[in-house]
Amino acid sequence: MAEPAPTWTLLVNVAHRLSDIRADHGYRTNIGDAVALEPAQHPDDSVEGLTLVALAIQRDANQPHGRHRVLSALAEATVPASLIDAHARCHAIAADVDAALADWIPLSKALPVQVEDIVFLDRPEGLPVVTVQVALSIRYRT
């Protein structure tokens, strides 16, 4: 079987890192128990979930003459809106994701994962969840 694409390997490694987010590891939440690489793995809006997806792959403008790329990804957590502390939980999850990825390098040919933006959505598209989206960028060499 062929080796996976480097971007998929990056996503798998980031997902593995995020799966360490548990209270017994010093984090605020246990969202690491619900990490997925496919949105369909969280079909139930009544439980928390964290999905990691790729958004784009671009040439690294800071390294125009090499085989350097930037993978833009999104870690999206959903929390049931029925929870009395749903927004507070979103803030805790965002802080945990940020802390888990701070200064962490996902591959030997990559730079540390950067948290670019954090966006909070209240019941997106009328769904029974509140959502926090953590935009990530990963610079790597092919």
Side-chain angles (χ1 to χ4, degrees):
M1 185 169 148
E3 187 175 314
T7 49
W8 186 252
T9 302
L10 284 168
L11 287 175
V12 168
N13 288 350
V14 172
H16 182 70
R17 177 72 173 198
L18 295 176
S19 70
D20 286 339
I21 298 175
R22 295 195 321 264
D24 62 353
H25 288 165
Y27 292 97
R28 295 165 189 84
T29 68
N30 288 313
I31 197 66
D33 293 337
V35 176
L37 290 168
E38 300 291 343
Q41 292 172 326
H42 296 300
D44 189 352
D45 290 334
S46 67
V47 296
E48 292 181 343
L50 179 64
T51 305
L52 183 66
V53 295
L55 299 176
I57 302 167
Q58 299 173 318
R59 181 180 54 84
D60 188 345
N62 295 326
Q63 300 287 335
H65 299 294
R67 302 228 358 115
H68 297 82
R69 303 284 183 266
V70 179
L71 170 64
S72 298
L74 188 69
E76 181 176 82
T78 55
V79 176
S82 60
L83 296 178
I84 196 161
D85 63 344
H87 277 129
R89 292 199 52 74
C90 282
H91 283 267
I93 291 167
D96 283 349
V97 168
D98 196 6
L101 298 177
D103 299 321
W104 177 72
I105 299 174
L107 282 179
S108 62
K109 294 181 178 181
L111 294 175
V113 177
Q114 297 294 308
V115 171
E116 300 292 344
D117 290 307
I118 299 173
V119 177
F120 299 91
L121 304 174
D122 182 21
R123 299 178 187 240
E125 298 180 34
L127 293 175
V129 296
V130 293
T131 301
V132 60
Q133 297 175 329
V134 181
L136 310 171
S137 65
I138 307 165
R139 287 173 167 72
Y140 66 99
R141 189 178 71 227
T142 59

